[in-house]
Amino acid sequence: MFGNKKSNNQVLIDMAQKQKRYEALVHVYHKELYRFAYWLCRDPHIADDLVQETFLRAWRSLDSLLDQKAAKSWLLTILRRENARRFERKQFDYSDIEDELLVDESSHSLDDEMEQTVIQRQIALLPDEYKEPLLLQVVMGCSGEEIANILDLNKNTVMTRLYRARNQLKEALSRDDEQLKGASK
């Protein structure tokens, strides 16, 4: 009656193969995706959520991943889009409370800030157009071509942005170094 339909056994075999592919992706890329997510948001809980949502979307569209060599770029693209969706969904609560009654309990103390390395702080200060390619290269180990695919840019544009990001970082670190030397005199 249903000649074109797959048999129940074939469906089960296909699902088992999909499950194995998915588990392999999670096993291989989970730590790298978490590291990149953490760099993007600086919050371990949000990073966990981003990675979980990334893998959920990956499961749903796993059949669209035809080239296993492109899996890392594919997952990073999903993660970046999930991070962007986070801001699209953000709803701000407004209140009629007077500003003078508000207490800032979320600010980090000086001690918390000192835990971060100088390089991490300087990278975070870079404009997104330079920060993202630099993080993809340094943290994720992506090539210029992979970064171009993930960010949907020309490879030459990516290489220029990487060059400018490194120069801006070098200048900022030099300024910090000079300030430290001046303070110690």
Side-chain angles (χ1 to χ4, degrees):
M1 182 172 160
F2 298 104
N4 292 340
K5 298 278 183 170
K6 293 183 178 180
S7 70
N8 286 341
N9 287 340
Q10 188 59 45
V11 170
L12 292 174
I13 291 170
D14 289 349
M15 287 301 293
Q17 289 173 343
K18 182 178 179 179
Q19 182 71 26
K20 285 181 184 177
R21 282 181 66 203
Y22 176 77
E23 288 173 1
L25 284 176
V26 172
H27 179 73
V28 171
Y29 295 112
H30 184 271
K31 288 180 183 176
E32 288 184 84
L33 288 176
Y34 177 81
R35 185 174 44 207
F36 184 63
Y38 183 79
W39 267 94
L40 289 176
C41 66
R42 294 277 189 233
D43 183 308
H45 303 294
I46 294 173
D48 280 333
D49 290 345
L50 284 171
V51 172
Q52 184 176 9
E53 193 63 32
T54 297
F55 280 120
L56 177 63
R57 287 189 184 272
W59 169 259
R60 289 179 185 154
S61 57
L62 190 59
D63 295 332
S64 69
L65 178 63
L66 302 176
D67 182 7
Q68 291 298 326
K69 295 176 186 171
K72 183 176 180 180
S73 297
W74 182 66
L75 289 168
L76 287 170
T77 300
I78 295 171
L79 186 122
R80 285 184 64 252
R81 289 180 181 157
E82 279 308 307
N83 188 48
R85 280 187 196 95
R86 187 168 66 96
F87 296 105
E88 291 171 2
R89 293 186 296 245
K90 183 80 172 162
Q91 298 295 320
F92 296 99
D93 295 330
Y94 295 101
S95 176
D96 293 333
I97 299 174
E98 294 291 323
D99 288 342
E100 298 142 339
L101 299 177
L102 295 178
V103 177
D104 184 8
E105 296 175 2
S106 65
S107 290
H108 300 286
S109 70
L110 183 57
D111 291 337
D112 290 337
E113 289 297 323
M114 293 180 78
E115 290 177 10
Q116 299 296 322
T117 66
V118 173
I119 294 174
Q120 288 174 331
R121 279 184 267 150
Q122 290 303 328
I123 290 174
L125 294 174
L126 290 173
D128 286 343
E129 67 182 296
Y130 299 126
K131 179 173 38 179
E132 277 194 331
L134 185 64
L135 290 176
L136 285 168
Q137 184 182 55
V138 174
V139 176
M140 297 305 301
C142 294
S143 68
E145 193 169 308
E146 289 173 323
I147 296 168
N149 288 334
I150 292 167
L151 299 179
D152 197 26
L153 296 170
N154 180 302
K155 183 179 176 187
N156 291 335
T157 303
V158 168
M159 300 313 285
T160 300
R161 288 184 182 182
L162 286 169
Y163 175 79
R164 290 178 180 167
R166 290 180 190 284
N167 279 344
Q168 287 182 19
L169 191 58
K170 190 164 87 173
E171 288 174 21
L173 292 172
S174 295
R175 281 193 309 270
D176 283 354
D177 195 35
E178 290 299 319
Q179 288 175 351
L180 288 173
K181 287 178 183 175
S184 65
K185 287 184 180 180

